[in-house]
Amino acid sequence: MPQSGHSPARKPVPNPSGVHFLASHSIAESLISFCSPGPADLVVDFGAGFGAITAPLARTGARVIAVERDPAFARKLSKRVSQHPNVRVVTADARSFPLPRKDFLVVANIPYSISTALLRRLLTPKVTALRRAALIVEWGFAKRLTTSVPRTKELAWWAGRFDLSLERRVPARCFRPAPTVDSAQLNIRRRAGLGRSAERALWALLEAAYRAPARSVRATVAELTGRKPHRALKSCGIDPAAPAGSVSPRQWATLAIALDGNSQPSER
């Protein structure tokens, strides 16, 4: 819900913690709707605060782990969800909380200051059990993550293994206190068809592309595979003569799947 009762002349309330609590039921429901958790699912809510997302998650019947760093917030949240045995509140830092080893979902309003660190924990490791996530992040950060061709190899690795999509802009008025910039709903879905060997091929392709972005895709792939890649590139919708740095992570992932089993790319 938007904030109310604030005079235009009133100075912003000091917010030394930098925490902005979600105050929109519709945004919380949109996040949960994307992940569609049910009784068989495990969901992690990072930066749970007072439970704007945890409470509706509890009603889905999914097993919920609410991670909150502030002990006072965690105590209040524990009381709020005490009637839901499927919810466990953990007082911990999202940057060090042990991630589940079995398939899990993430639905969370992430503090701006830890966005990169948390995404790196979720999306960078060779082995990750993350299946889907719906996150609130800073608007500019979401735009950088969902650009067609990311600026860095790490961002391309994320976008190659996972489908990253900017679902909607989340206005600053949806938080209390309101931040100085708008946020975004970032949806993350594990890309289908990428097995472990295909992921190794993807990493090798990205490493080569970002090392020599002006080099043609044909030359880049030929050097990695020792084969003429023209037909494989065409089947994946990639122009063989295009610079390697112009190819999107989605296209690299499609090519990695096509090459899987037919080439021996370098190990990550």
Side-chain angles (χ1 to χ4, degrees), residues 6 223 230:
H6 288 272
E223 183 178 68
H230 188 87

Side-chain angles (χ1 to χ4, degrees), residues 66-263:
V67 181
E68 172 51 52
R69 185 178 64 173
D70 189 293
F73 294 166
R75 285 193 295 271
K76 291 180 180 180
L77 178 56
S78 293
K79 291 180 180 179
R80 180 178 180 182
V81 298
S82 60
Q83 301 303 312
H84 296 280
N86 56 317
V87 179
R88 179 163 64 96
V89 179
V90 179
T91 305
D93 192 313
R95 293 168 294 186
S96 56
F97 172 77
L99 297 178
R101 295 184 178 181
K102 295 183 178 180
D103 283 0
F104 69 101
L105 313 172
V106 174
V107 182
N109 171 28
I110 301 177
Y112 292 167
S113 61
I114 68 167
S115 296
T116 298
L118 184 54
L119 265 292
R120 185 169 283 141
R121 292 196 70 207
L122 294 172
L123 306 182
T124 296
K126 289 184 292 183
V127 178
T128 175
L130 178 69
R131 193 170 81 244
R132 195 178 299 181
L135 311 172
I136 293 177
V137 297
E138 189 267 329
W139 174 258
F141 182 68
K143 292 286 286 183
R144 290 192 295 275
L145 290 181
T146 55
T147 188
S148 177
V149 179
R151 291 182 297 177
T152 69
K153 180 175 62 179
E154 181 179 43
L155 295 185
W157 173 241
W158 296 357
R161 299 170 78 205
F162 295 86
D163 179 34
L164 309 178
S165 61
L166 200 167
E167 176 69 17
R168 62 162 75 181
R169 184 186 288 269
V170 182
R173 66 175 181 273
C174 294
F175 302 87
R176 296 177 180 166
T180 58
V181 296
D182 286 346
S183 298
Q185 177 179 335
L186 177 69
N187 291 342
I188 301 173
R189 188 195 306 267
R190 188 69 181 263
R191 199 175 299 284
L194 270 176
R196 292 292 299 278
S197 57
E199 286 192 344
R200 289 194 292 270
L202 172 61
W203 178 259
L205 290 167
L206 292 174
E207 194 169 45
Y210 277 80
R211 183 172 58 247
R215 194 181 190 191
S216 73
V217 178
R218 180 192 297 110
T220 299
V221 178
E223 183 178 68
L224 284 173
T225 64
R227 298 171 181 268
K228 294 181 179 181
H230 188 87
R231 182 177 297 179
L233 291 172
K234 283 293 188 180
S235 70
C236 295
I238 302 174
D239 179 2
S246 69
V247 178
S248 72
R250 179 187 293 272
Q251 290 175 308
W252 284 126
T254 302
L255 179 61
I257 293 171
L259 295 175
D260 184 24
N262 298 314
S263 62

Side-chain angles (χ1 to χ4, degrees), residues 4-18:
S4 60
H6 288 272
S7 168
R10 183 177 297 176
K11 293 182 179 180
V13 176
N15 183 29
S17 68

